[in-house]
Amino acid sequence: MTKAFSLIEVVKTYPGFQLGPLNLELEPGTVLGYIGPNASGKTTTFHCMAGITRPRSGKIEVFGCEASPHVPKWRLDIGYVGDIHAFYEGWTGEANLAFRSRFYPNWSQARAVDLAKRFDLPLDVKAGTLSTGNRVKLSLVAALAHSPKLLLLDEPTSGLDPVVRREVLDTLFEALEGGERAIFYATHILSDIGRLADSLAFLRAGRITQVSAKDDLLDKWRSISFRYSGSGPKIAGAEVHESEGTSHRVISSDQARTMEQLQAMGAENIESARMTIDDIAVQILKGGQNVAGD
């Protein structure tokens, strides 16, 4: 099956920073969450994929077509919401959307109007007077109105109130119906990722450190407490290990190994609790802290 996108050895450099080499791909019909701290390279990744900037080396493909500046047809398959919401400031939202519609054969004015209503976005107001949240909404309408096959969303719900954010997430779910479209989604609102994403890619200092299916993470990670009177043990799979006297608590990224070891060494009062994807993501970004014996 043709991938929604493929990043192949993609590198982008700036003074004091290098993104990549990145190797990443996404299947149609799925959502990949892109998680990392500020300045880790998420926005640079999106800029390369949207054609805003060119990588120094490597190749980007969108639904099998190379993302070449010389053959821009691939851009028609992309809907992008990024960190900059560029509009003609003296034009109304409606005029801005009408202008953009000229570049997309699949543009639906009816869909644009419907989305604006769902997001509670006034289209008769000049873009320059819109609040930050309404500028985000206008960007979302512009990105979705031509029914792109690949949505690139960089903090798309930033500045939105909870009601509109839910409408946006519902709209994104609807965009996946039929299994032909895909979403690449970065956000600091980890609860959104937990609801929407099928898989997560973690980025730190310009490098992807881990790509995992969300269900695999939920199956493997646990918060486990136990009592043990022996000397401080090195626990298999422990990303965090806290202790006070004989009471211990570990956060394990491999609950099967951890439980097997605890039972073998005679630990008592073992209790295991599932973790949310939000908490798991935080631990992965931290990279394992307070591990006993390290």
Side-chain angles (χ1 to χ4, degrees):
M1 178 184 291
T2 302
K3 305 296 182 183
F5 75 75
S6 298
L7 305 181
I8 305 165
E9 295 293 311
V10 170
V11 174
K12 178 66 179 179
T13 56
Y14 294 102
F17 177 78
Q18 175 173 311
L19 174 70
L22 297 184
N23 291 284
L24 192 64
E25 60 186 25
L26 179 61
E27 299 284 348
T30 61
V31 179
L32 177 61
Y34 203 33
I35 301 177
N38 290 331
S40 58
K42 299 188 302 298
T43 294
T44 300
T45 305
F46 284 111
H47 283 184
C48 290
M49 295 180 68
I52 296 171
T53 188
R54 295 182 64 182
R56 188 189 75 184
S57 59
K59 184 167 70 170
I60 299 172
E61 294 182 350
V62 177
F63 282 92
C65 295
E66 184 173 355
S68 167
H70 307 296
V71 185
K73 183 180 178 181
W74 57 275
R75 295 187 182 184
L76 299 178
D77 287 330
I78 288 178
Y80 173 58
V81 177
D83 56 326
I84 298 173
H85 308 288
F87 300 106
Y88 289 101
E89 301 296 313
W91 294 7
T92 64
E94 183 178 17
N96 271 282
L97 294 176
F99 177 76
R100 294 195 181 202
S101 70
R102 303 175 188 177
F103 302 97
Y104 296 99
N106 292 331
W107 185 279
S108 168
Q109 184 61 21
R111 178 163 171 75
V113 171
D114 177 65
L115 288 168
K117 289 180 179 178
R118 291 185 67 174
F119 299 163
D120 195 23
L121 169 66
L123 292 178
D124 57 349
V125 176
K126 291 182 178 180
T129 65
L130 290 174
S131 66
T132 299
N134 277 334
R135 290 179 73 87
V136 173
K137 295 176 191 177
L138 187 57
S139 290
L140 283 162
V141 173
L144 292 164
H146 65 284
S147 298
K149 291 197 291 184
L150 174 62
L151 280 169
L152 304 177
L153 306 177
D154 188 5
E155 300 288 343
T157 59
S158 176
L160 300 181
D161 65 64
V163 174
V164 175
R165 197 168 87 235
R166 179 177 291 275
E167 283 289 352
V168 169
L169 294 178
D170 288 345
T171 301
L172 296 180
F173 271 119
E174 292 166 10
L176 294 170
E177 292 178 358
E180 298 176 353
R181 298 185 176 88
I183 299 174
F184 189 30
Y185 188 119
T187 183
H188 286 105
I189 305 174
L190 295 181
S191 58
D192 287 358
I193 287 286
R195 181 183 172 196
L196 193 65
D198 299 293
S199 299
L200 305 177
F202 294 88
L203 187 73
R204 183 186 294 120
R207 299 295 182 94
I208 293 174
T209 60
Q210 181 175 338
V211 181
S212 299
K214 182 178 71 176
D215 288 345
D216 287 345
L217 294 174
L218 290 170
D219 286 343
K220 291 181 179 179
W221 283 73
R222 291 290 189 276
S223 175
I224 302 172
S225 62
F226 61 94
R227 298 185 69 85
Y228 184 70
S229 58
S231 58
K234 177 73 172 180
I235 304 299
E239 304 293 333
V240 173
H241 185 171
E242 302 167 338
S243 63
E244 183 176 348
T246 61
S247 297
H248 295 258
R249 174 181 173 269
V250 299
I251 293 178
S252 172
S253 59
D254 189 343
Q255 61 139 339
R257 288 178 60 211
T258 301
M259 294 295 285
E260 182 179 9
Q261 179 183 350
L262 292 179
Q263 290 165 0
M265 66 191 226
E268 300 177 338
N269 303 115
I270 302 171
E271 295 184 1
S272 175
R274 295 181 67 88
M275 297 174 63
T276 67
I277 199 65
D278 314 32
D279 290 336
I280 294 169
V282 168
Q283 292 300 327
I284 291 175
L285 291 176
K286 288 169 63 177
Q289 301 291 329
N290 304 319
V291 178
D294 282 4

